[in-house]
Amino acid sequence: MKVSFPLAPEPEHEASEKGRLLFAGPVDFVKGVVAMNGLPPADRPEVCFAGRSNVGKSSLINALTGRNGLARASNTPGRTQEINYFALGEHSYMVDLPGYGFAKAPVAVVAKWQALLKNYLAGRPTLRRAFALIDSRHGVKEVDHEIMKLLDRSAVPFQVVLTKTDKISSQALTQVIAQVEEALQKHPAAYPELVATSSDKGHGIATLRAIIAGLS
Ligand code: GTP
Ligand code: MG
């Protein structure tokens, strides 16, 4: 039977308010981690943002927190090379991951941080949900399936977030949603709801805030 992946509905007033308040509170950069033994203690829930280089992970964290430049965003794919931890007050951690699939760095360096990414996704007990970011202009690619398979095997629920929707028409959005829905049929860990976002225009940001606030 086919699983459907509708867009997340607009949050109810109470959920929306909870999300707004959480992100209006303190958000602090905790640390950049380059090895598993550098991770902060697993003492609270966390969510992470995974996706190909340049998909818009850091921009999305900036949009959620309303603090530009909190997570570095750049035009150079492969910019975020560490696992960056942000604390949402005492509530939870948000984790900005290094991009996969492309990197302007020596092969050995790329191999090292891809290994770190995999170890992190497979072995973090407090990871409540991974947001798998997909560029709405490109849909799900082979490298995305690789990461999704890892999340399936690690039993980490993941939710697809479409990024940069300001760059496409509403017809193109409908088409990419169908492609994503098809691609997700193979992934048992996929949460059956998508979020369409634009960090530039703010679309979907309140919805994502409410989802994160509701996770713990
Ligand atoms: P890495 O750290 O290299 O893995 O990249 P990233 O996934 O963190 O992407 P980043 O947020 O650095 O964004 C990459 C580029 O896409 C930047 O030039 C952003 O300005 C642009 N971008 C990100 N989100 C949006 C969006 O919602 N709309 C538009 N139009 N551009 C965006
Ligand atoms: Mg980044």
Side-chain angles (χ1 to χ4, degrees), residues 164-181:
K164 310 190 188 183
T165 57
D166 57 285
K167 292 205 170 189
I168 62 167
S169 65
S170 59
Q171 290 104 304
L173 181 62
T174 304
Q175 280 169 12
V176 76
I177 287 170
Q179 190 264 347
V180 170
E181 186 163 72

Side-chain angles (χ1 to χ4, degrees), residues 65-81:
T65 60
R67 278 154 260 216
N68 269 336
L70 182 68
R72 273 174 301 168
S74 83
N75 275 313
T76 312
R79 177 71 185 272
T80 309
Q81 299 181 8

Side-chain angles (χ1 to χ4, degrees), residues 19-215:
R20 189 187 68 76
L21 286 171
L22 176 63
F23 283 86
V27 185
D28 295 300
F29 174 67
V30 179
K31 67 190 297 201
V33 177
V34 294
M36 285 298 281
N37 62 13
L39 295 176
D43 60 359
R44 65 190 83 177
E46 67 193 49
V47 297
C48 71
F49 297 84
R52 297 166 73 205
S53 294
N54 216 43
V55 71
K57 299 175 292 297
S58 299
S59 303
L60 188 61
I61 289 178
N62 288 339
L64 284 167
T65 60
R67 278 154 260 216
N68 269 336
L70 182 68
R72 273 174 301 168
S74 83
N75 275 313
T76 312
R79 177 71 185 272
T80 309
Q81 299 181 8
E82 301 177 335
I83 294 183
N84 287 313
Y85 269 79
F86 301 90
L88 287 171
E90 306 279 298
H91 175 272
S92 55
Y93 287 129
M94 277 198 306
V95 181
D96 188 11
L97 294 173
Y100 50 80
F102 175 90
K104 221 176 188 174
V107 178
V109 176
V110 176
K112 187 170 168 259
W113 94 63
Q114 304 292 43
L116 174 63
L117 174 68
K118 291 191 172 172
N119 288 332
Y120 167 79
L121 290 176
R124 185 72 170 161
T126 44
L127 180 57
R128 283 290 160 78
R129 189 174 298 184
F131 292 106
L133 274 57
I134 299 295
D135 191 317
S136 59
R137 297 168 301 174
H138 307 312
V140 177
K141 300 283 186 190
E142 196 45 47
V143 275
D144 300 312
H145 277 297
E146 294 303 313
I147 293 292
M148 291 173 182
K149 275 189 227 161
L150 178 71
L151 293 164
D152 290 335
R153 285 199 295 270
S154 314
V156 175
F158 70 86
Q159 181 162 20
V160 167
V161 174
L162 294 166
T163 62
K164 310 190 188 183
T165 57
D166 57 285
K167 292 205 170 189
I168 62 167
S169 65
S170 59
Q171 290 104 304
L173 181 62
T174 304
Q175 280 169 12
V176 76
I177 287 170
Q179 190 264 347
V180 170
E181 186 163 72
E182 204 53 49
L184 291 181
Q185 299 302 313
K186 302 182 203 170
H187 295 288
Y191 186 81
E193 187 183 86
L194 311 177
V195 189
T197 64
S198 163
S199 297
D200 270 22
K201 306 282 181 235
H203 185 69
I205 300 302
T207 301
L208 202 47
R209 282 182 187 142
I211 289 171
I212 294 169
L215 278 176

